[in-house]
Amino acid sequence: MKEFVVISGKGGTGKTSLVAAFAALAGKVVLCDADVDAADLHLVTRPRIVETHDFVSGHEAKIDPERCTQCGLCRQRCRFGAIDEAFRVEPLLCEGCGVCAHVCPERAVKFLEKTCGVWYVSNTVYGPMVHARLGIAEENSGKLVTLVRREARRLAESRRMDLILTDGPPGVGCPVIASIGNADAVLAVAEPTVSGRHDMERVLALANHFRVPAAVCVNKCDLHPQGAHEIAEEARKRGAPFLGFIPFDPLVTRSQVDGRSLVEYGETLVVRSIQKVWEGLQALLEENADGALEPFEDTPMAWDRAQA
Amino acid sequence: MILGIASGKGGTGKTTVACNLAAALECSVVLADCDVEEPNAHLFLKPHWDVVTPITLDVPVVDAQKCTLCGACQDLCQFKAIAVLPETVLTFHELCHSCGGCALVCPAEAISWGSRQIGERRTGRRGPIRVVNGTLRIGEAMAPPLIGAVRQAAADIPNCAVVLVDAPPGTSCPVVASLWGVDYVVLVTEPTPFGLNDLALAVAAVKKMGIPCGLVVNRCDVGDDRIHTFAHGENLPILLEIPFDRKVAEQYAQGHLLVDVFPEWKTMMQGLYKAVVRELERASSGASPKEWGAAPETREVSA
Ligand code: SF4
Ligand code: SF4
């Protein structure tokens, strides 16, 4: 079984539209939306939810005013400034470390498990999908990502499907780290802008850090052709296969508005470009199966360069 | 005034608005780029950096001589950052939240503090604009403390009328760390289903923090009227609408500040600032801030 994760330095690069198009091209896949912070894949895959589960993770402190004598020990020890003057815990600042509960001489602090979101298993036209909704302003997004990926894998095993397509979160932080560990390959989608290039370099450095083979494609390439070429060049220089350019097309927005995959609009230039990237990816996954493709060389310079 | 600029998802033009607003204001302004995973504002503002500060977190160091292997630290740590084995104690610094609990409970006083770098903070300037940003070390998961350090440095800059906080995408802890304590949030969105989906989440998060907000609709002519319907239903002001313009997209792609290239952008950004000031005045004169009460916790995924 193979898992393949689409990521991008920033959101809005067209990651989700690409994943939906790949799913349509692949035919039989398990879909996984690991962008739990702002899940969007359900908007273009028309899921029918078959299972709903709570995501319980971590703890949250709550002070019982009946027992609290306002001695101040908890406030003094809390390193996150989460306990206010009136000895109430601000849930948005509480990290769930439990120090307050430990120091309280009156045992006034309740340390409760908390529900941080929901996750779903759905059926879509392209195959089953695991997706989630992190509660508003919740933490633990990395853990939720790990959970949806594990469930997608379980689903793929039980249904004997050998490809998992994961829509990853943007950035290089905690949720992305949770998205790419042990994946067979990642595709970084870049925009042909100065910031797009900067983001792509950081994302490749991350893939490199975790030793996951990465490939690159450029979306909306015609908005700045020269920038697009520079990104392709930079990717190759870093040993990441460059899989192709995809032009800007208002059809992408249309398809979102209609809630359909791009592939359903026939053989347009965008679709043909995406097809090419998809073929490149499949080749990459196969090569990787023979062990021919090594994660590209470690360049400790990547971090310094990303700063420049 | 501290003004947050956010969006449920990336790519809506948040950084464009933040940078161009900073450049259009023509007063002493601080731009705090809190998107420490992918800081980008400096690519457009091209500031001259003055100070680079490594940002570190406190992490426990166990003195093997003193440790009695009692296991108290492991029991307290909620983040599995300490493991007490039969003959030794292991610490996993990447998982540590620096809560201080382990040292507090250790009866043998075997725990002292070391530090580990999570990233870097930079401060610099471009004319009257001061820029602060943070860059998370690759492979590092603890973004919020670095964001806190960026916000702190921005707050410490004296004599400045406006602090613009460029927030990261999403609705989880990095966004909360970025927007905590700002006076108003401008949410940049676009009129597509993705735009609306992510905007609804961002609005819920901002309301949960109790901060008033308004919208900038970017590429307002590419999709449909769903953002307007939503804004109306939620009673959110639309502060500015920006039509899609290929010329603008191309200039942006090359890293140009739009206020430098298109004079109308300057007027537009100043108008946006005035609209925010009007909204804040309106709020302080009449409507009580309690209007921004509890928001729905989670939104169901529409099947
Ligand atoms: S400081 Fe807190 S999070 Fe870090 S190891 Fe100690 S108990 Fe765990
Ligand atoms: S609490 Fe102190 S003595 Fe006990 S295992 Fe931890 S470090 Fe060792």
Side-chain angles (χ1 to χ4, degrees):
Chain A
M1 190 198 318
K2 289 281 156 65
E3 183 188 5
F4 169 60
V5 188
V6 182
I7 55 175
S8 67
K10 273 270 154 72
T13 54
K15 203 165 42 69
T16 303
S17 299
L18 270 183
V19 171
F22 290 156
L25 291 169
K28 211 174 150 220
V29 286
V30 173
L31 284 167
C32 173
D33 193 344
D35 187 1
V36 296
D37 226 20
D40 277 337
L41 195 55
H42 63 279
L43 297 173
V44 277
T45 51
R46 284 167 280 166
R48 203 162 38 75
I49 295 173
V50 289
E51 283 174 39
T52 306
H53 304 267
D54 278 344
F55 166 58
V56 181
S57 174
H59 292 78
E60 187 175 282
K62 221 180 158 158
I63 297 174
D64 179 355
E66 298 285 304
R67 299 190 112 175
C68 173
T69 56
Q70 313 217 331
C71 71
L73 274 176
C74 56
R75 269 197 79 203
Q76 193 189 323
R77 292 294 183 187
C78 178
R79 292 221 180 159
F80 309 103
I83 301 174
D84 68 11
E85 249 108 88
F87 293 93
R88 276 182 314 235
V89 179
E90 167 54 67
L92 288 174
L93 295 181
C94 176
E95 296 256 336
C97 69
V99 166
C100 50
H102 178 82
V103 297
C104 178
E106 309 296 330
R107 306 180 132 267
V109 184
K110 284 192 284 225
F111 198 48
L112 307 165
E113 275 207 322
K114 67 176 179 172
T115 304
C116 307
V118 217
W119 61 275
Y120 312 92
V121 178
S122 295
N123 285 326
T124 76
V125 279
Y126 311 112
M129 170 159 107
V130 183
H131 49 136
R133 180 62 247 121
L134 189 70
I136 298 298
E138 282 294 355
E139 46 192 324
N140 289 318
S141 58
K143 284 193 185 144
L144 184 51
V145 168
T146 306
L147 186 144
V148 292
R149 283 185 68 207
R150 191 182 63 218
E151 291 301 325
R153 192 154 278 263
R154 193 174 287 174
L155 205 62
E157 266 159 18
S158 73
R159 307 226 183 150
R160 294 179 201 292
M161 302 181 62
D162 26 67
L163 184 64
I164 303 169
L165 252 179
T166 301
D167 188 4
V172 294
C174 149
V176 193
I177 291 172
S179 299
I180 68 171
N182 293 323
D184 295 280
V186 301
L187 173 69
V189 185
E191 272 191 315
T193 61
V194 284
S195 52
R197 175 171 168 179
H198 179 250
D199 300 339
M200 190 262 315
E201 291 176 6
R202 302 239 319 144
V203 161
L204 284 187
L206 183 79
N208 193 19
H209 184 91
F210 290 101
R211 311 220 124 252
V212 184
V216 173
C217 73
V218 173
N219 196 11
K220 309 179 204 172
C221 61
D222 46 338
L223 285 181
H224 185 203
Q226 198 203 330
H229 281 290
E230 282 168 15
I231 287 176
E233 196 55 25
E234 185 62 39
R236 289 198 194 97
K237 222 189 281 167
R238 288 166 182 255
F242 182 76
L243 298 183
F245 297 109
I246 300 163
F248 173 79
D249 190 335
L251 191 63
V252 177
T253 308
R254 244 290 289 293
S255 77
Q256 289 179 16
V257 174
D258 298 351
R260 296 164 62 180
S261 162
L262 269 173
V263 177
E264 296 175 41
Y265 296 82
E267 274 272 306
T268 56
L269 180 59
V270 209
V271 172
R272 282 203 304 278
S273 320
I274 294 177
Q275 216 151 7
K276 232 193 99 213
V277 174
W278 177 238
E279 281 159 17
L281 274 175
Q282 280 173 300
L284 193 73
L285 283 174
E286 264 157 43
E287 264 180 65
N288 200 20
D290 312 333
L293 188 95
E294 284 289 306
F296 52 94
E297 205 187 301
D298 201 32
T299 49
M301 288 304 290
W303 153 243
D304 302 326
R305 298 210 30 189
Q307 309 250 311
Chain B
M1 172 169 58
I2 312 175
L3 180 58
I5 303 178
S7 67
K9 71 175 212 153
T12 53
K14 186 170 53 62
T15 301
T16 312
V17 169
C19 293
N20 286 286
L21 189 57
L25 284 183
E26 289 175 334
C27 66
S28 56
V29 12
V30 179
L31 183 94
D33 188 348
C34 288
D35 190 355
V36 299
E37 294 183 37
E38 309 284 1
N40 278 345
H42 64 286
L43 299 173
F44 301 93
L45 288 171
K46 306 181 182 75
H48 170 80
W49 296 119
D50 313 312
V51 189
V52 182
T53 319
I55 301 298
T56 58
L57 277 185
D58 287 349
V59 285
V61 178
V62 180
D63 180 343
Q65 302 290 304
K66 292 189 186 162
C67 173
T68 60
L69 301 169
C70 72
C73 53
Q74 172 180 284
D75 293 345
L76 182 109
C77 183
Q78 295 297 314
F79 310 104
K80 301 193 169 69
I82 290 194
V84 181
L85 306 183
E87 281 167 17
T88 179
V89 178
L90 293 180
T91 52
F92 305 98
H93 289 166
E94 310 75 49
L95 300 177
C96 174
H97 286 227
S98 298
C99 71
C102 50
L104 195 68
V105 298
C106 177
E109 295 187 0
I111 297 179
S112 59
W113 297 99
S115 72
R116 93 192 160 87
Q117 190 176 344
I118 52 170
E120 268 178 4
R121 177 181 69 196
R122 294 173 176 237
T123 53
R125 60 176 81 223
R126 169 202 168 108
I129 307 170
R130 306 290 295 260
V131 183
V132 186
N133 80 4
T135 312
L136 197 65
R137 189 174 56 75
I138 293 292
E140 173 59 57
M142 291 307 160
L146 179 55
I147 292 171
V150 171
R151 282 287 309 271
Q152 190 57 51
D156 288 346
I157 293 172
N159 307 325
C160 110
V162 185
V163 177
L164 298 174
V165 176
D166 190 359
T171 59
S172 67
C173 16
V175 178
V176 175
S178 302
L179 296 180
W180 192 259
V182 308
D183 299 306
Y184 194 87
V185 176
V186 169
L187 287 163
V188 186
T189 182
E190 53 184 17
T192 64
F194 285 17
L196 177 61
N197 182 60
D198 302 338
L199 174 68
L201 299 172
V203 167
V206 171
K207 285 191 174 178
K208 197 166 174 178
M209 283 181 263
I211 313 169
C213 64
L215 309 183
V216 168
V217 187
N218 197 9
R219 297 186 270 266
C220 59
D221 44 356
V222 298
D224 47 22
D225 60 359
R226 61 186 75 213
I227 293 290
H228 289 83
T229 314
F230 173 79
H232 189 77
E234 292 277 317
N235 208 0
L236 295 173
I238 293 180
L239 308 164
L240 173 67
E241 292 184 87
I242 310 172
F244 177 73
D245 183 342
R246 213 183 161 101
K247 284 203 300 291
V248 168
E250 285 165 5
Q251 289 295 325
Y252 166 81
Q254 293 170 42
H256 296 300
L257 265 187
L258 300 174
V259 291
D260 289 348
V261 192
F262 306 103
E264 64 273 23
W265 265 76
K266 191 163 201 168
T267 330
M268 211 154 71
M269 289 296 117
Q270 288 171 343
L272 170 62
Y273 182 71
K274 281 189 201 120
V276 171
V277 172
R278 258 201 314 278
E279 281 298 316
L280 280 172
E281 276 165 3
R282 203 170 56 92
S284 63
S285 65
S288 87
K290 277 284 163 276
E291 246 177 57
W292 302 91
E297 285 287 304
T298 42
R299 268 168 22 97
E300 277 304 307
V301 172
S302 52

